[in-house]
Amino acid sequence: MSEPRLEDMSDYNTLKGEKKRIVWTVIIAGLLLGVIYMVAYNKYTDQGDTIPVKDKIMLVPLSQSIPVR
């Protein structure tokens, strides 16, 4: 069994008929799922639960509790 070649495809230059409808259906379904996910994410995530920090963090000390082997 060999891999398909572009020269062997009958509709390489233009998609027609049912194949074209399937491609557009998949594209539109993907866009709709993306929009639904974005709306649900923005509606159901708590974006106002932040802790304001006024001081700059200049140095983060290394942890002494991690043993080095």
Side-chain angles (χ1 to χ4, degrees):
M1 182 164 194
S2 64
E3 293 186 22
R5 299 181 313 159
L6 293 177
E7 295 83 16
D8 296 336
M9 294 177 68
S10 61
D11 59 344
Y12 172 67
N13 291 326
T14 58
L15 284 176
K16 295 180 182 176
E18 188 174 347
K19 287 184 181 182
K20 190 172 189 174
R21 283 191 298 262
I22 290 173
V23 169
W24 279 109
T25 302
V26 169
I27 290 172
I28 291 171
L31 290 173
L32 286 175
L33 286 174
V35 169
I36 291 169
Y37 174 78
M38 184 178 62
V39 169
Y41 180 81
N42 287 333
K43 185 174 182 178
Y44 294 112
T45 56
D46 190 14
Q47 297 176 0
D49 190 23
T50 59
I51 300 172
V53 177
K54 299 193 183 340
D55 298 331
K56 288 188 175 183
I57 299 173
M58 302 302 282
L59 178 66
V60 177
L62 295 175
S63 176
Q64 301 296 326
S65 63
I66 301 174
V68 179
R69 294 180 190 211

